Amino acid sequence: MEQKKLDLNSIIGFVLIFGIMIWIFYQNQPSKEEQAKKAKQEQVQKVQQAESQKPLVKASTLDTAQVVNNPLALGSFAYSATLPSAKNDFTIIENNLLILKIANKGGYIAEATLKNFKQFSKDSNKLVKLVSDNNAGLNIQLQTKDNRVLNTKDLFFEPTLFKSGKNQILSMKLKAGENQFLEYKYILNENQYMLDFDVRSQGLSTVLNTTKPADLEWDLKSYRNEKSVKYESIHTELIYEYEGGKDSYLGQAAEEKTIEGLSYVAFKQNFFSSILLTNKPFKTSKVSSQNLVKDDKTDTIFTKNFKAILPLAFNNGEIDYKMNWYYGPTDFKILNAYNRNLDELISLGWGIFGWINRFIFIPLFGVLGSFIPYGIAIIIFTIIIKLAMSPITYKSFLSQAKMKVLRPEITELNEKYAKEPMKKQQETMKLYNKAGVNPMAGCIPALIQMPFLYASFQFFPSAIELRQKGFLWADDLSSFDSVLKLPFHIPFYGDHVSLFPILASIAIFFYMRMTTGDQAMQAPQQEGMPDMGKIMKVMIYVSPIMMLFIFNSYGSGLSLYNFISNLITIGIMFVIKNYIVDDKKIHAQIQENKLKEPKKPGKFQQKIQQAMEQAEAQKAQQKKK
């Protein structure tokens, strides 16, 4: 049988067919982008299969390397581990007041620096940092539909920074897919310590369990920023607003509270604060505070440990909250300007004490401090307050002078009715009424001055204007004015000597000698009662010593105010005693009043007389029985 041979045309046909097949095979190969997408889909499928077979692994237990290399731990957010941002990197946004450093991992503020404030002293080269070196954290706990718990602090966000007018806008997205994500949006404007902070989710209703809120956890370990860690710790506290305008705080001891309708929580660090505010109040929140200064000689880095757990409710399966962060000074003018009730962070005192600070002290001191050095401003401020109070001082001293003139007659009544205390009181009241002297007149002016004294104890420790402002030997009027460093520590006093508290203690000693001394001589001893005269004499010496110990570590501005205040009062009383009040004229006036018809006693005196008469009548009836 004859074999067929391949001719030239057959060979050319085979070559063409083979070439066409190679071309078709090459054209049908997927591109690099398609290959990457396919690989990612295969990876997610493997993760989902493995998740159904393996036990639960919480992302919070993994470090950065584990999170990147083990997408299984991310569950539905495995997509985020494959993004270019899945590394320990940061994005910085800043204005002329504030520098914020936001981490890819966790999407939270890893560093908050205040540009215009220095730590400890004005000569320091360190700026105040409210957040730094992992002293703060932000985390949202998410629960998936298959009951896994994921923590955003361990997951990687994708940053996108852009500008809109004067605003810097940073979007941080934690992605579970191309159109599935949790977003933190930071919006910082110029000349502001306050920034917008929005938290929202998109497309996660199919991934997350939305039957209960997701907990936002915010914690901060507050750094010490002032010279006196003890003084700073006293004024470092957690403050919060709830139920549409009420405000409260946690005390100095370790404390935890559950709060309904919380609208802001503030971690106040004496002169600086970190605040989280929300337009949509959190339903049931938990806040806690722990004091970290057990011993001010060794606990010198941190003051308090704060924590807040805030529930983010789902709406139609998604999270959507408009919030704000504030990182800045605890300054009354700045906080009050926001009209968000943030002025409550400044401890001005309650009731009348707060009114005095808000409407008298703050405006007056603000005007003085705007054009003269703050040390001089304190002195002029004190002079104005004391001169305004001088008529009350005059009334008080005049009453003391009248009581002094009546002292011989009161002593005579005490001796005459020594065994009849009720009768002695009645006759003494009659003498006061006949002489036209009100024994309460000396107390009432003193009581009127007390709110101003208490208000000053609230105002000066809160005045950030005094921070790192010097006067004479004091380099910081908001802190102690140490003139001598001791080689040892005195309990309740410290290891330094402050001069302004010494001057204030000397001034208060002489002031009490002029006032309490006379009152001690006038105070009659009642049968069965302590000798008030002796107690008052002891207080003349005890009070200055107590003040010396208490104020040694307090702000020198407050001690300066007390020193000048008592000095001026001593001067005013010296002038009144020696040039205005005449004991002979007062005596003559009292004798003239005795000849007149006694004034009708006031309602208060009438009630006292009636009470004494009833008591005397009951006593007489008991004797008859």
Side-chain angles (χ1 to χ4, degrees):
M1 184 175 178
E2 185 180 0
Q3 292 182 348
K4 292 185 178 180
K5 296 182 180 179
L6 292 176
D7 58 9
L8 180 61
N9 291 334
S10 298
I11 294 172
I12 294 173
F14 281 121
V15 170
L16 289 174
I17 293 171
F18 183 72
I20 291 170
M21 291 178 65
I22 293 175
W23 180 80
I24 292 171
F25 178 78
Y26 178 78
Q27 289 295 320
N28 289 333
Q29 267 195 327
S31 64
K32 292 183 179 180
E33 291 78 6
E34 291 173 333
Q35 288 177 354
K37 187 175 181 180
K38 185 178 180 181
K40 190 182 296 182
Q41 291 174 346
E42 291 176 352
Q43 188 181 44
V44 171
Q45 289 176 356
K46 289 179 181 179
V47 168
Q48 292 175 346
Q49 291 175 358
E51 285 172 352
S52 62
Q53 298 173 0
K54 293 187 177 182
L56 173 64
V57 180
K58 290 188 179 181
S60 58
T61 63
L62 304 175
D63 60 20
T64 305
Q66 287 176 309
V67 169
V68 175
N69 298 324
N70 185 11
L72 170 62
L74 306 180
S76 303
F77 292 94
Y79 185 90
S80 65
T82 65
L83 297 172
S85 61
K87 57 184 178 180
N88 284 326
D89 205 352
F90 302 90
T91 304
I92 293 176
I93 58 175
E94 65 177 299
N95 57 20
N96 57 325
L97 303 174
L98 195 60
I99 303 174
L100 298 176
K101 188 176 178 182
I102 293 94
N104 284 4
K105 185 183 179 184
Y108 69 99
I109 296 174
E111 197 169 287
T113 305
L114 307 184
K115 288 185 174 182
N116 300 327
F117 296 92
K118 292 185 176 181
Q119 195 177 38
F120 302 129
S121 73
K122 60 184 177 182
D123 299 322
S124 172
N125 58 0
K126 292 183 179 180
L127 295 175
V128 169
K129 291 187 177 184
L130 301 183
V131 181
S132 181
D133 300 327
N134 299 315
N135 75 313
L138 178 71
N139 178 56
I140 297 180
Q141 230 179 48
L142 303 171
Q143 186 173 5
T144 64
K145 287 188 176 295
D146 54 358
N147 293 324
R148 286 177 296 103
V149 176
L150 304 175
N151 293 290
T152 60
K153 65 181 180 180
D154 298 315
L155 307 179
F156 285 92
F157 288 68
E158 183 179 42
T160 304
L161 177 63
F162 58 95
K163 289 188 177 182
S164 176
K166 297 180 180 180
N167 294 335
Q168 297 177 62
I169 302 174
L170 175 62
S171 170
M172 304 291 294
K173 289 185 178 179
L174 172 62
K175 293 188 173 182
E178 189 63 38
N179 295 310
Q180 293 177 293
F181 56 82
L182 175 71
E183 181 186 33
Y184 296 166
K185 184 182 286 185
Y186 299 91
I187 305 175
L188 181 64
N189 202 343
E190 62 180 11
N191 300 316
Q192 291 289 332
Y193 290 104
M194 183 87 75
L195 64 149
D196 295 340
F197 176 60
D198 299 344
V199 178
R200 74 181 186 95
S201 65
Q202 178 178 303
L204 298 184
S205 57
T206 59
V207 176
L208 300 178
N209 181 355
T210 60
T211 58
K212 60 180 181 178
D215 285 337
L216 184 151
E217 301 170 353
W218 178 37
D219 60 87
L220 183 142
K221 189 184 290 186
S222 58
Y223 276 115
R224 168 199 171 195
N225 288 305
E226 313 303 328
K227 284 199 303 183
S228 174
V229 63
K230 181 179 180 180
Y231 185 68
E232 182 177 0
S233 179
I234 292 172
H235 294 92
T236 297
E237 56 192 353
L238 187 151
I239 301 169
Y240 57 90
E241 183 190 58
Y242 65 107
E243 294 181 1
K246 299 178 183 178
D247 54 86
S248 189
Y249 65 97
L250 299 187
Q252 293 297 312
E255 191 174 359
E256 182 177 331
K257 281 188 179 180
T258 300
I259 303 150
E260 298 295 330
L262 186 143
S263 47
Y264 77 66
V265 57
F267 299 159
K268 177 188 172 186
Q269 300 173 229
N270 194 11
F271 288 125
F272 305 99
S273 293
S274 306
I275 312 171
L276 178 60
L277 308 96
T278 177
N279 292 332
K280 186 195 302 182
F282 303 114
K283 188 175 180 182
T284 304
S285 306
K286 291 181 180 180
V287 294
S288 62
S289 173
Q290 180 185 5
N291 185 21
L292 301 179
V293 182
K294 307 299 182 183
D295 185 346
D296 59 347
K297 298 188 294 294
T298 57
D299 301 329
T300 59
I301 298 177
F302 300 102
T303 54
K304 294 285 195 306
N305 195 7
F306 299 121
K307 187 171 184 179
I309 301 177
L310 314 169
L312 302 179
F314 287 91
N315 184 18
N316 295 324
E318 304 292 352
I319 295 172
D320 189 8
Y321 275 80
K322 303 289 185 183
M323 295 185 280
N324 298 93
W325 287 112
Y326 177 89
Y327 290 100
T330 313
D331 187 308
F332 179 83
K333 294 178 183 177
I334 295 174
L335 295 175
N336 192 46
Y338 288 114
N339 198 27
R340 300 281 295 271
N341 201 32
L342 295 178
D343 55 296
E344 294 298 333
L345 269 68
I346 291 88
S347 180
L348 300 179
W350 56 272
I352 189 173
F353 313 117
W355 300 339
I356 291 171
N357 276 322
R358 189 180 295 269
F359 301 114
I360 299 177
F361 282 10
I362 290 176
L364 177 59
F365 193 74
V367 171
L368 294 173
S370 64
F371 64 89
I372 56 177
Y374 281 101
I376 303 298
I378 291 176
I379 294 174
I380 296 176
F381 171 83
T382 311
I383 292 172
I384 293 172
I385 296 296
K386 297 309 292 185
L387 287 178
M389 302 293 290
S390 59
I392 298 175
T393 305
Y394 170 74
K395 288 284 187 181
S396 178
F397 194 84
L398 182 62
S399 177
Q400 291 179 24
K402 289 180 179 180
M403 294 292 290
K404 185 178 179 181
V405 170
L406 286 177
R407 190 184 303 151
E409 295 182 56
I410 294 174
T411 303
E412 185 179 340
L413 289 175
N414 289 339
E415 294 174 353
K416 184 177 180 180
Y417 299 103
K419 296 183 179 181
E420 299 177 83
M422 192 64 69
K423 183 69 173 177
K424 179 175 64 176
Q425 289 289 346
Q426 291 175 341
E427 293 300 320
T428 302
M429 294 296 292
K430 287 179 182 178
L431 174 63
Y432 288 150
N433 188 38
K434 192 175 181 181
V437 175
N438 183 358
M440 299 297 294
C443 300
I444 294 173
L447 291 174
I448 293 174
Q449 295 183 70
M450 285 299 293
F452 287 84
L453 177 63
Y454 181 80
S456 70
F457 279 81
Q458 297 291 317
F459 171 72
F460 284 101
S462 301
I464 193 173
E465 297 89 346
L466 300 180
R467 187 177 186 270
Q468 297 176 1
K469 299 297 189 301
F471 179 65
L472 297 178
W473 57 84
D475 57 1
D476 186 350
L477 287 168
S478 72
S479 188
F480 56 83
D481 57 311
S482 177
V483 293
L484 178 64
K485 181 71 175 178
L486 301 175
F488 48 85
H489 186 274
I490 301 175
F492 305 106
Y493 185 75
D495 58 359
H496 65 274
V497 176
S498 298
L499 186 51
F500 275 130
I502 294 175
L503 296 176
S505 297
I506 293 172
I508 198 172
F509 170 76
F510 285 103
Y511 166 73
M512 293 187 72
R513 281 285 299 269
M514 294 179 69
T515 56
T516 309
D518 287 340
Q519 293 173 6
M521 294 176 66
Q522 295 167 17
Q525 183 177 359
Q526 303 295 329
E527 186 177 349
M529 297 293 290
D531 190 339
M532 294 304 298
K534 288 183 179 180
I535 293 175
M536 289 181 180
K537 287 178 182 179
V538 171
M539 290 303 296
I540 293 174
Y541 298 94
V542 172
S543 295
I545 295 174
M546 288 177 60
M547 183 175 184
L548 184 64
F549 272 76
I550 292 172
F551 284 88
N552 190 60
S553 294
Y554 269 49
S556 53
L558 179 60
S559 298
L560 173 61
Y561 171 81
N562 279 285
F563 169 58
I564 299 298
S565 177
N566 287 313
L567 206 61
I568 294 171
T569 304
I570 289 170
I572 291 173
M573 293 186 70
F574 179 81
V575 171
I576 292 173
K577 182 176 182 179
N578 292 279
Y579 299 100
I580 298 177
V581 174
D582 189 332
D583 288 353
K584 292 182 180 179
K585 288 184 179 180
I586 291 174
H587 185 270
Q589 183 64 50
I590 288 176
Q591 298 306 319
E592 185 180 337
N593 290 341
K594 287 181 179 180
L595 299 175
K596 297 178 183 179
E597 184 178 347
K599 292 182 179 181
K600 185 179 179 180
K603 291 183 179 180
F604 181 70
Q605 287 181 319
Q606 288 178 3
K607 288 182 178 180
I608 292 177
Q609 288 178 357
Q610 289 174 2
M612 289 191 295
E613 288 172 0
Q614 290 174 1
E616 189 69 23
Q618 289 176 358
K619 189 175 180 180
Q621 288 179 357
Q622 288 176 355
K623 285 183 178 179
K624 289 179 181 179
K625 292 179 181 180

